[in-house]
Amino acid sequence: MHIGELARLAGVTVKAVRYYEQLGLITPVRESNGYRSFTDDHVRAVIEIRELGEIGISPLKAAPFLECLDLGHERGDECVSSLAVYQDTVAELDHMISALSVRRAALQHRLEHSAGRSFSEVPEAPAVLEVAAAPAPADYTALPEGLPVPADDGAASHLTGMALPALTLPTSGGEAVELAGLGAGRSVIYLYPLTGKPGVDLPEGWNAIPGARGCSTEACDFRDHFTLLRDAGVEHVFGLSSQTPQYQAEVVARLRLPFAMISDEEFALGAALKLPTFAAPGHDRLYARLTLVVTGGVIEHVFYPIFPPNTHAQQVLAWLEAHPLTEQDPQ
């Protein structure tokens, strides 16, 4: 069968099938005329990937389930390697639930004490003291003072003029983005190492690493200037990190971001463009913070290093306003 028939039988789009093929999850047979041909085994594999996605497991983590099917098992989760993926995903959800529980407790505490006060009277001192002493989750949307300023090490000097590679990556919204197919207009893709969440500790010594701290503040700045960026001619805004789409989805929802995050767990874009990375306790590799302005699939401008991150979207906006697209610009 051809790709359209496979997509119909498995209940997915042709675009999704191509993405799974790019990830190496399915490999079609080449017919004598060069067309790709798929079998019932491919249908079974794509259904497995689709069902895993429905319960929050990214296609990037589906390989153990497909290998289990290839070994002759009736179900893809009858192997130890598949169960390990379940355990990791449950652990990620537990972290999210814990963080949300901390936020809910803080809000409930404030609600109860606020509801008990009369707004027409000055609150009594004990009530004020009690509210002030209530535990609150760490605020990762504000930058601490004294952060080290990153230096330009030249690690991004080669990027201007390069074309985005033909990569398809998952997003926080459960969709996929074709980087080489963003269109003729301008896109802004800002890369960041990782976002913190209330109730979840940042890596040890995080604030001492130049350029590491500030991912949530950077996201908020892009959120607050999103409309102005669009007015300046930007068609797409994306954040990109090596965190999972599920982790990113929590951040998008919590910070109320009007744009999606792109997940690159395998550092595919980093390998294609030779992007700068760094290590931190508990993380062998993280993306260094930088921003790409892409026009017609080609990197037009690079911001690197970035400091402070909490006003970076305004820096991007100023550059866009100083370099408006004209009819002579590449589209």
Side-chain angles (χ1 to χ4, degrees):
M1 72 184 76
H2 290 165
I3 191 170
E5 179 68 5
L6 167 62
R8 185 185 65 81
L9 292 175
V12 300
T13 64
V14 170
K15 182 178 180 181
V17 175
R18 289 177 177 149
Y19 175 48
Y20 303 153
E21 185 181 350
Q22 182 182 2
L23 293 178
L25 298 175
I26 57 173
T27 304
V29 177
R30 287 288 179 180
E31 299 177 355
S32 58
N33 59 7
Y35 286 106
R36 295 175 294 178
S37 179
F38 298 89
T39 67
D40 290 340
D41 288 339
H42 291 119
V43 175
R44 186 184 184 196
V46 173
I47 291 175
E48 182 77 9
I49 299 170
R50 188 203 72 208
E51 292 179 347
L52 289 171
E54 290 172 352
I55 59 173
I57 296 179
S58 165
L60 294 171
K61 297 183 178 181
F65 297 87
L66 303 186
E67 292 169 359
C68 193
L69 291 176
D70 290 340
L71 291 174
H73 291 275
E74 184 66 25
R75 293 177 54 85
D77 57 4
E78 293 178 354
C79 299
V80 175
S81 57
S82 304
L83 298 181
V85 177
Y86 280 159
Q87 290 175 336
D88 290 343
T89 305
V90 169
E92 290 178 2
L93 289 173
D94 286 341
H95 281 305
M96 291 183 186
I97 292 170
S98 176
L100 291 173
S101 296
V102 170
R103 293 178 60 207
R104 186 188 187 284
L107 287 170
Q108 185 65 34
H109 179 86
R110 287 175 176 264
L111 173 62
E112 292 173 355
H113 283 273
S114 297
R117 295 199 304 266
S118 170
F119 290 99
S120 61
E121 300 175 358
V122 177
E124 296 180 0
V128 174
L129 293 175
E130 185 175 0
V131 172
D139 183 8
Y140 294 127
T141 62
L143 285 178
E145 296 182 358
L147 291 176
V149 180
D152 189 353
D153 56 5
S157 59
H158 63 287
L159 294 173
T160 302
M162 294 185 68
L164 288 187
L167 290 174
T168 303
L169 297 174
T171 72
S172 55
E175 301 175 344
V177 170
E178 296 180 7
L179 295 182
L182 292 178
R186 270 179 171 163
S187 297
V188 172
I189 304 175
Y190 72 91
L191 283 72
Y192 62 95
L194 60 81
T195 49
K197 294 191 298 185
V200 179
D201 291 336
L202 289 169
E204 184 178 355
W206 189 245
N207 288 357
I209 302 174
R213 183 67 184 267
C215 298
S216 293
T217 65
E218 183 178 24
C220 290
D221 200 43
F222 273 103
R223 175 199 65 196
D224 296 343
H225 294 85
F226 179 75
T227 300
L228 293 176
L229 289 168
R230 295 296 298 271
D231 291 343
V234 174
E235 295 187 7
H236 305 285
V237 174
F238 293 108
L240 186 149
S241 75
S242 59
Q243 292 173 293
T244 67
Q246 293 79 17
Y247 194 107
Q248 293 176 332
E250 187 277 336
V251 175
V252 169
R254 173 162 50 87
L255 300 182
R256 306 184 309 280
L257 303 181
F259 51 85
M261 300 288 199
I262 299 175
S263 173
D264 187 9
E265 295 182 74
E266 302 300 323
F267 293 89
L269 183 61
L273 297 181
K274 297 181 179 179
L275 299 175
T277 60
F278 67 97
H283 302 272
D284 294 335
R285 192 180 182 194
L286 293 167
Y287 274 121
R289 193 185 310 279
L290 64 82
T291 295
L292 306 175
V293 178
V294 180
T295 304
V298 175
I299 299 173
E300 180 184 5
H301 187 74
V302 180
F303 292 90
Y304 177 86
I306 293 170
F307 193 85
N310 61 326
T311 59
H312 176 54
Q314 300 167 56
Q315 180 186 15
V316 175
L317 181 62
W319 186 91
L320 292 168
E321 292 174 343
H323 300 82
L325 282 175
T326 65
E327 293 182 0
Q328 287 74 36
D329 289 323
Q331 293 292 324

